[in-house]
Amino acid sequence: MADVQVTTDVERPAPVVWDDLATARPVRPAPVQRLHRAVLRIDAATPFSRDRAVDVLRAYSILGVVLGHWLVSAVVLQAGGHLAGDSPLHHMPALAPVSWLLQPLALFFFVGGRVGSQSHASATANGTRYRTWLAQRLRQLVRPTLALLGVWVLVLVGLAVEGVAFETIRTLVRLAVSPLWFLCVYAVITAATPLIRRCGAGRLVPVALALVVATDLVRGLAGDQGWVDSLRWLNVLTGWLVPYALGVFWAAGGLARRRYAAGMLVLGVAGVAVLVLRCGYPASMVGVPGAALSNLNPPSLAAVCFGLAQCGLGLLLCGPLRRLTGQPTEPVASLASREWEAPGARATAGQFCWAAVASLNLSAMTVFLWHQTAMLATTVFALGLGHRWPGLHTAPVTPSWVAFRLVWIPVFACLLAVLLLAFKDVEKAVRRSPR
């Protein structure tokens, strides 16, 4: 039989060159996938024991202050060419309900009391001395504040050299450093955290509330005399001590039952209603230029009742806020599993919400300190364009001013984001410093 030779045209595969594979560029995930991975990484890095509702309340208090200042703080170009402060609440009292949503300072003290108490308890358990603990807490406030003051000193020198009107300089400085009074009060009350815990926060709340009642009662009986106004400045400490002590009491488990939160809400709302409708207190929960009485400077009994209602409502919303931010009900996998790197990994809406809240809390001090600077810088730069912009340089006397101001708020936010990128490392360095 003849030999049969079979040939084929199929080529053999080329040999694999391993050096080429080693130098091949990795395939980068799409931007959407990178966003999902970042959100999942933040969620996985959050300790299971962390109460996300507390962070939501703190984030809301910061955003409320920022938006509140941007809406009710007007800088008006006067006929003489200088800038002066004003407020739409002075010309449009019907806007007072806006202050009910955007004056959440009591919530900040409430959350601060809880976090401060837990921090001090943990430091005590670890053998950390009070001086060391307090230095770390105050460092978180002082270092970012010094950065703000340093920049504004340079700004003031530049304005003075350029011969800017004194009225303009005074207006800009007053608005830029206006958040600092709040930090001073917060620092003093924070330093008293061990004493509040030792005395019993639950017993201290009615005492502080009674002092506020007494000072306001003296004002009602004696009228607007100089010594009465001086006496009412005690409310700066006693008024904000009420929500802070409530936060300490919350950390100790004293507000575990919902009926306590409901009682705080009902009593607070009833107190505000009686004081505003029957006793002549202003409806606005922030200061209004030209008003005979301010609910905020110093805090009045109406402001304290309002804060009590805010704290009660915040407690009632803790459960829904935990669900909103996707807080797990049981411990999840370890961070080392790196599940967020799995192909096709997707974050839930709750995890996205938590990532936004966590990011804001990491830069809370920077946002709080620099938000007024962002607004003022926009105002001054726009004035340099040679035009008087509505909602920015005009008097806040009509509803159209509010509409134009809402258009400017995204501009303020963009400039605040630039300032955040510039100064966030100051706040980050404080968190990384040894305790």
Side-chain angles (χ1 to χ4, degrees):
M1 188 177 210
D3 294 337
V4 178
Q5 294 182 351
V6 179
T7 61
T8 177
D9 294 333
V10 178
E11 297 181 359
R12 293 182 180 180
V16 177
V17 181
W18 296 106
D19 291 340
D20 293 342
L21 290 178
T23 59
R25 296 178 61 183
V27 179
R28 297 188 63 182
V32 174
Q33 182 61 33
R34 292 202 298 271
L35 177 62
H36 278 271
R37 288 184 178 181
V39 170
L40 290 171
R41 186 161 56 248
I42 293 174
D43 184 78
T46 304
F48 170 72
S49 59
R50 189 178 188 92
D51 191 346
R52 300 186 181 187
V54 174
D55 291 281
V56 175
L57 294 177
R58 184 194 288 115
Y60 169 72
S61 65
I62 294 296
L63 285 179
V65 170
V66 172
L67 292 177
H69 280 158
W70 285 352
L71 282 173
V72 304
S73 298
V75 181
V76 182
L77 180 62
Q78 303 296 317
H82 64 274
L83 298 175
D86 204 345
S87 173
L89 295 173
H90 175 65
H91 304 281
M92 295 175 283
L95 294 177
V98 175
S99 67
W100 304 346
L101 296 175
L102 302 180
Q103 197 282 80
L105 290 178
L107 279 178
F108 192 93
F109 279 94
F110 184 51
V111 171
R114 174 185 169 93
V115 175
S117 178
Q118 292 175 333
S119 173
H120 181 258
S122 176
T124 302
N126 294 331
T128 303
R129 300 175 61 183
Y130 166 74
R131 183 173 59 184
T132 304
W133 170 82
L134 181 61
Q136 173 62 25
R137 302 294 294 181
L138 296 183
R139 195 179 297 120
Q140 298 174 4
L141 305 177
V142 173
R143 286 189 179 179
T145 302
L146 291 178
L148 174 73
L149 294 177
V151 169
W152 269 98
V153 167
L154 297 177
V155 171
L156 290 180
V157 172
L159 294 176
V161 170
E162 292 296 324
V164 176
F166 172 75
E167 294 83 356
T168 297
I169 295 178
R170 180 178 59 185
T171 299
L172 296 178
V173 172
R174 180 179 59 83
L175 290 175
V177 303
S178 58
L180 299 187
W181 73 264
F182 163 81
L183 294 181
C184 293
V185 177
Y186 186 77
V188 172
I189 297 180
T190 297
T193 300
L195 182 61
I196 297 172
R197 296 181 64 214
R198 190 177 303 116
C199 294
R203 293 188 295 269
L204 196 58
V205 170
V207 174
L209 183 59
L211 291 174
V212 175
V213 172
T215 54
D216 275 28
L217 184 60
V218 170
R219 177 190 174 275
L221 296 176
D224 293 328
Q225 301 184 34
W227 67 272
V228 174
D229 292 337
S230 300
L231 180 65
R232 289 191 65 245
W233 281 103
L234 292 175
N235 288 358
V236 172
L237 288 178
T238 56
W240 298 121
L241 180 60
V242 172
Y244 191 92
L246 281 172
V248 175
F249 192 47
W250 181 20
L255 299 175
R257 297 182 179 181
R258 289 179 61 85
R259 65 181 183 184
Y260 295 147
M264 291 163 57
L265 175 60
V266 172
L267 291 176
V269 170
V272 172
V274 171
L275 292 170
V276 172
L277 298 177
R278 297 292 184 181
C279 301
Y281 281 77
S284 173
M285 290 300 144
V286 298
V288 179
L293 175 64
S294 170
N295 277 326
L296 193 58
N297 296 315
S300 67
L301 180 58
V304 175
C305 290
F306 180 73
L308 190 67
Q310 283 184 321
C311 295
L313 181 60
L315 284 174
L316 292 175
L317 292 177
C318 278
L321 291 177
R322 295 184 187 108
R323 293 189 292 271
L324 178 66
T325 53
Q327 180 160 339
T329 56
E330 58 184 14
V332 294
S334 171
L335 182 66
S337 62
R338 305 179 70 87
E339 292 182 355
W340 61 83
E341 293 186 353
R346 289 292 185 270
T348 64
Q351 289 171 325
F352 268 100
C353 182
W354 168 242
V357 171
S359 300
L360 177 57
N361 275 277
L362 289 175
S363 303
M365 273 294 297
T366 305
V367 171
F368 177 78
L369 288 172
W370 290 94
H371 72 277
Q372 287 288 70
T373 300
M375 182 194 73
L376 296 173
T378 303
T379 302
V380 174
F381 292 156
L383 189 62
L385 298 177
H387 184 71
R388 190 180 185 187
W389 300 92
L392 198 61
H393 307 120
T394 55
V397 296
T398 62
S400 62
W401 184 93
V402 179
F404 281 112
R405 175 50 66 101
L406 292 175
V407 175
W408 283 107
I409 283 181
V411 181
F412 301 159
C414 290
L415 189 51
L416 178 59
V418 174
L419 293 171
L420 179 61
L421 291 175
F423 294 98
K424 66 178 182 178
D425 289 341
V426 177
E427 187 172 359
K428 187 183 300 184
V430 176
R431 292 195 302 269
R432 290 177 177 176
S433 61
R435 301 194 176 193

Coordinates of all heavy atoms in Angstrom, one line a residue, residues 135-181:
A135 N -6.4 68.3 75.1 CA -5.5 68.9 74.1 C -5.8 68.3 72.7 O -5.8 69.1 71.7 CB -4.0 68.6 74.4
Q136 N -6.1 67.1 72.6 CA -6.4 66.5 71.3 C -7.7 67.0 70.8 O -7.9 67.3 69.6 CB -6.5 64.9 71.4 CG -7.0 64.2 70.2 CD -6.1 64.5 69.0 OE1 -4.9 64.8 69.1 NE2 -6.7 64.3 67.8
R137 N -8.7 67.1 71.7 CA -10.0 67.6 71.3 C -9.9 69.1 70.8 O -10.5 69.5 69.8 CB -11.0 67.5 72.4 CG -11.3 66.1 73.0 CD -11.9 65.2 72.0 NE -13.3 65.6 71.7 CZ -14.1 64.9 70.9 NH1 -13.6 63.8 70.3 NH2 -15.3 65.3 70.6
L138 N -9.2 69.9 71.5 CA -9.1 71.3 71.2 C -8.2 71.5 69.9 O -8.4 72.5 69.2 CB -8.5 72.1 72.3 CG -9.4 72.2 73.6 CD1 -8.7 73.1 74.6 CD2 -10.8 72.7 73.3
R139 N -7.3 70.6 69.7 CA -6.4 70.7 68.5 C -7.2 70.6 67.3 O -6.9 71.2 66.2 CB -5.3 69.6 68.6 CG -4.2 69.9 67.6 CD -3.1 68.8 67.7 NE -2.5 68.8 69.0 CZ -2.5 67.8 69.9 NH1 -3.2 66.7 69.6 NH2 -1.9 67.9 71.0
Q140 N -8.3 69.8 67.3 CA -9.1 69.7 66.1 C -9.9 71.0 65.8 O -10.3 71.2 64.7 CB -10.2 68.6 66.4 CG -9.5 67.2 66.6 CD -10.6 66.1 67.0 OE1 -11.8 66.4 67.1 NE2 -10.1 64.9 67.3
L141 N -10.0 71.8 66.8 CA -10.7 73.1 66.6 C -9.6 74.2 66.3 O -9.9 75.1 65.4 CB -11.5 73.5 67.8 CG -12.5 72.5 68.3 CD1 -13.2 73.1 69.5 CD2 -13.6 72.3 67.2
V142 N -8.5 74.2 67.0 CA -7.6 75.3 66.9 C -6.8 75.4 65.6 O -6.7 76.5 65.0 CB -6.7 75.3 68.2 CG1 -5.6 76.4 68.0 CG2 -7.4 75.5 69.4
R143 N -6.2 74.3 65.2 CA -5.3 74.3 64.0 C -6.1 74.8 62.8 O -5.6 75.7 62.1 CB -4.7 73.0 63.8 CG -3.6 72.7 64.8 CD -2.8 71.4 64.5 NE -1.8 71.1 65.4 CZ -1.0 70.1 65.3 NH1 -1.1 69.2 64.3 NH2 0.0 69.9 66.2
P144 N -7.2 74.3 62.4 CA -7.9 74.8 61.2 C -8.3 76.3 61.4 O -8.3 77.0 60.4 CB -9.2 73.9 61.1 CG -8.8 72.6 61.8 CD -7.9 73.1 63.0
T145 N -8.6 76.7 62.7 CA -9.0 78.1 62.9 C -7.8 79.0 62.7 O -7.9 80.1 62.1 CB -9.5 78.2 64.3 OG1 -10.7 77.4 64.5 CG2 -9.9 79.7 64.6
L146 N -6.6 78.6 63.1 CA -5.4 79.4 62.9 C -5.1 79.6 61.4 O -4.6 80.6 61.0 CB -4.2 78.7 63.6 CG -4.3 78.8 65.1 CD1 -3.0 78.1 65.7 CD2 -4.3 80.2 65.7
A147 N -5.4 78.5 60.6 CA -5.2 78.7 59.2 C -6.1 79.8 58.6 O -5.7 80.6 57.8 CB -5.4 77.3 58.5
L148 N -7.4 79.8 59.0 CA -8.3 80.8 58.6 C -7.9 82.2 59.0 O -7.9 83.1 58.2 CB -9.7 80.5 59.1 CG -10.8 81.5 58.9 CD1 -11.2 81.5 57.4 CD2 -12.0 81.3 59.8
L149 N -7.5 82.3 60.2 CA -7.1 83.6 60.7 C -5.8 84.1 60.0 O -5.7 85.3 59.7 CB -6.9 83.6 62.2 CG -8.1 83.3 63.1 CD1 -7.8 83.2 64.6 CD2 -9.2 84.4 62.9
G150 N -4.9 83.2 59.8 CA -3.7 83.6 59.1 C -4.0 84.2 57.7 O -3.4 85.2 57.3
V151 N -4.9 83.5 57.0 CA -5.2 84.0 55.6 C -5.9 85.3 55.7 O -5.6 86.3 54.9 CB -6.1 83.0 54.9 CG1 -6.7 83.6 53.6 CG2 -5.3 81.7 54.6
W152 N -6.8 85.5 56.7 CA -7.5 86.8 56.7 C -6.6 87.9 57.2 O -6.9 89.1 56.9 CB -8.8 86.6 57.6 CG -9.9 86.2 56.8 CD1 -10.4 85.0 56.6 CD2 -10.7 87.1 55.9 NE1 -11.5 85.0 55.7 CE2 -11.7 86.3 55.3 CE3 -10.7 88.5 55.7 CZ2 -12.6 86.8 54.4 CZ3 -11.6 89.0 54.8 CH2 -12.6 88.2 54.2
V153 N -5.6 87.6 58.0 CA -4.7 88.7 58.4 C -4.0 89.2 57.1 O -3.8 90.4 56.9 CB -3.6 88.1 59.4 CG1 -2.5 89.1 59.5 CG2 -4.3 87.9 60.7
L154 N -3.6 88.3 56.2 CA -3.0 88.7 55.0 C -4.0 89.5 54.1 O -3.6 90.5 53.5 CB -2.5 87.5 54.2 CG -1.4 86.7 54.9 CD1 -1.0 85.5 54.0 CD2 -0.1 87.6 55.1
V155 N -5.2 89.1 54.1 CA -6.3 89.8 53.3 C -6.4 91.2 53.9 O -6.5 92.2 53.1 CB -7.6 89.0 53.4 CG1 -8.7 89.9 52.8 CG2 -7.4 87.7 52.6
L156 N -6.5 91.3 55.2 CA -6.7 92.6 55.8 C -5.5 93.6 55.5 O -5.7 94.8 55.2 CB -6.8 92.5 57.3 CG -8.1 91.9 57.8 CD1 -8.1 91.8 59.3 CD2 -9.3 92.6 57.3
V157 N -4.3 93.1 55.5 CA -3.2 93.9 55.2 C -3.3 94.4 53.7 O -3.0 95.6 53.4 CB -1.9 93.1 55.4 CG1 -0.7 93.9 54.8 CG2 -1.7 92.8 56.9
G158 N -3.6 93.5 52.8 CA -3.8 93.8 51.4 C -4.9 94.9 51.2 O -4.7 95.8 50.5
L159 N -6.0 94.7 51.9 CA -7.1 95.7 51.8 C -6.7 97.0 52.3 O -7.0 98.1 51.7 CB -8.4 95.2 52.5 CG -9.0 93.9 51.9 CD1 -10.2 93.5 52.8 CD2 -9.5 94.1 50.5
A160 N -6.0 97.0 53.4 CA -5.6 98.3 54.0 C -4.6 99.0 53.1 O -4.6 100.3 52.9 CB -5.0 98.1 55.4
V161 N -3.7 98.3 52.5 CA -2.7 98.9 51.7 C -3.3 99.5 50.4 O -2.9 100.5 49.9 CB -1.6 97.8 51.2 CG1 -0.7 98.4 50.1 CG2 -0.8 97.4 52.4
E162 N -4.4 98.8 49.9 CA -5.1 99.3 48.8 C -6.0 100.5 49.1 O -6.7 101.0 48.2 CB -5.9 98.2 48.1 CG -5.0 97.1 47.5 CD -4.2 97.6 46.3 OE1 -4.7 98.5 45.6 OE2 -3.1 97.2 46.1
G163 N -6.2 100.8 50.3 CA -7.0 101.9 50.7 C -8.5 101.6 50.7 O -9.3 102.5 50.4
V164 N -8.9 100.4 50.9 CA -10.3 100.0 50.9 C -11.0 100.7 52.1 O -10.4 100.8 53.2 CB -10.4 98.5 51.0 CG1 -11.9 98.1 51.1 CG2 -9.8 97.8 49.8
A165 N -12.2 101.1 51.9 CA -13.0 101.8 53.0 C -13.1 100.9 54.2 O -13.2 99.7 54.2 CB -14.4 102.1 52.5
F166 N -13.0 101.6 55.4 CA -13.0 100.9 56.7 C -14.4 100.1 56.8 O -14.4 99.1 57.4 CB -12.9 101.9 57.8 CG -13.1 101.3 59.2 CD1 -12.2 100.5 59.8 CD2 -14.3 101.6 59.9 CE1 -12.4 100.0 61.0 CE2 -14.5 101.0 61.1 CZ -13.6 100.2 61.7
E167 N -15.5 100.7 56.3 CA -16.8 100.1 56.5 C -16.8 98.7 55.7 O -17.3 97.7 56.2 CB -17.9 101.0 55.9 CG -18.1 102.2 56.7 CD -17.2 103.3 56.3 OE1 -16.3 103.1 55.5 OE2 -17.3 104.4 56.9
T168 N -16.1 98.7 54.6 CA -16.0 97.4 53.8 C -15.2 96.4 54.6 O -15.6 95.2 54.7 CB -15.4 97.7 52.4 OG1 -16.3 98.6 51.7 CG2 -15.2 96.4 51.7
I169 N -14.1 96.8 55.1 CA -13.2 95.9 55.8 C -13.9 95.3 57.0 O -13.9 94.1 57.3 CB -11.9 96.6 56.2 CG1 -11.1 97.0 55.0 CG2 -11.1 95.7 57.1 CD1 -9.8 97.7 55.3
R170 N -14.6 96.2 57.8 CA -15.3 95.8 58.9 C -16.4 94.8 58.6 O -16.6 93.7 59.3 CB -16.0 97.0 59.6 CG -16.7 96.6 60.9 CD -17.3 97.9 61.6 NE -18.2 98.6 60.7 CZ -18.7 99.8 61.0 NH1 -18.4 100.4 62.1 NH2 -19.5 100.4 60.1
T171 N -17.2 95.0 57.5 CA -18.2 94.1 57.1 C -17.6 92.7 56.7 O -18.1 91.7 57.1 CB -19.0 94.7 55.9 OG1 -19.6 95.9 56.3 CG2 -20.0 93.7 55.4
L172 N -16.6 92.7 55.9 CA -15.9 91.5 55.5 C -15.4 90.7 56.7 O -15.6 89.4 56.8 CB -14.8 91.7 54.5 CG -15.3 92.4 53.1 CD1 -14.0 92.6 52.3 CD2 -16.3 91.5 52.4
V173 N -14.7 91.3 57.6 CA -14.1 90.6 58.7 C -15.2 90.1 59.6 O -15.1 88.9 60.1 CB -13.2 91.6 59.5 CG1 -12.7 90.9 60.8 CG2 -12.0 91.9 58.6
R174 N -16.2 90.9 59.9 CA -17.3 90.4 60.8 C -18.0 89.2 60.2 O -18.3 88.2 61.0 CB -18.4 91.5 60.9 CG -19.5 91.2 61.8 CD -20.5 92.3 62.0 NE -21.0 92.8 60.7 CZ -22.1 92.2 60.1 NH1 -22.7 91.1 60.7 NH2 -22.5 92.6 59.0
L175 N -18.2 89.1 58.9 CA -18.9 87.9 58.4 C -17.9 86.8 58.3 O -18.3 85.6 58.5 CB -19.4 88.3 57.0 CG -20.6 89.2 57.0 CD1 -21.0 89.6 55.5 CD2 -21.8 88.6 57.7
A176 N -16.7 87.0 58.0 CA -15.7 85.9 57.8 C -15.4 85.2 59.2 O -15.3 84.0 59.2 CB -14.4 86.4 57.3
V177 N -15.3 86.0 60.2 CA -15.0 85.3 61.5 C -16.2 85.1 62.4 O -16.1 84.6 63.6 CB -14.0 86.2 62.3 CG1 -12.7 86.4 61.5 CG2 -14.6 87.5 62.7
S178 N -17.4 85.3 61.9 CA -18.6 85.1 62.7 C -18.8 83.7 63.2 O -19.3 83.5 64.3 CB -19.9 85.5 61.9 OG -20.0 84.8 60.7
P179 N -18.3 82.7 62.4 CA -18.4 81.3 63.0 C -17.6 81.0 64.2 O -17.8 80.0 64.9 CB -18.0 80.4 61.8 CG -18.1 81.2 60.6 CD -17.8 82.6 61.1
L180 N -16.6 81.9 64.5 CA -15.6 81.6 65.6 C -16.3 81.7 67.0 O -15.8 81.0 67.9 CB -14.4 82.5 65.5 CG -13.6 82.4 64.1 CD1 -12.4 83.2 64.2 CD2 -13.3 81.0 63.8
W181 N -17.3 82.5 67.2 CA -17.9 82.6 68.5 C -18.4 81.2 68.9 O -18.4 80.8 70.1 CB -19.0 83.6 68.5 CG -20.3 83.2 67.8 CD1 -20.6 83.5 66.5 CD2 -21.3 82.4 68.3 NE1 -21.8 82.9 66.2 CE2 -22.3 82.2 67.3 CE3 -21.6 81.8 69.5 CZ2 -23.4 81.5 67.4 CZ3 -22.7 81.0 69.7 CH2 -23.7 80.9 68.6

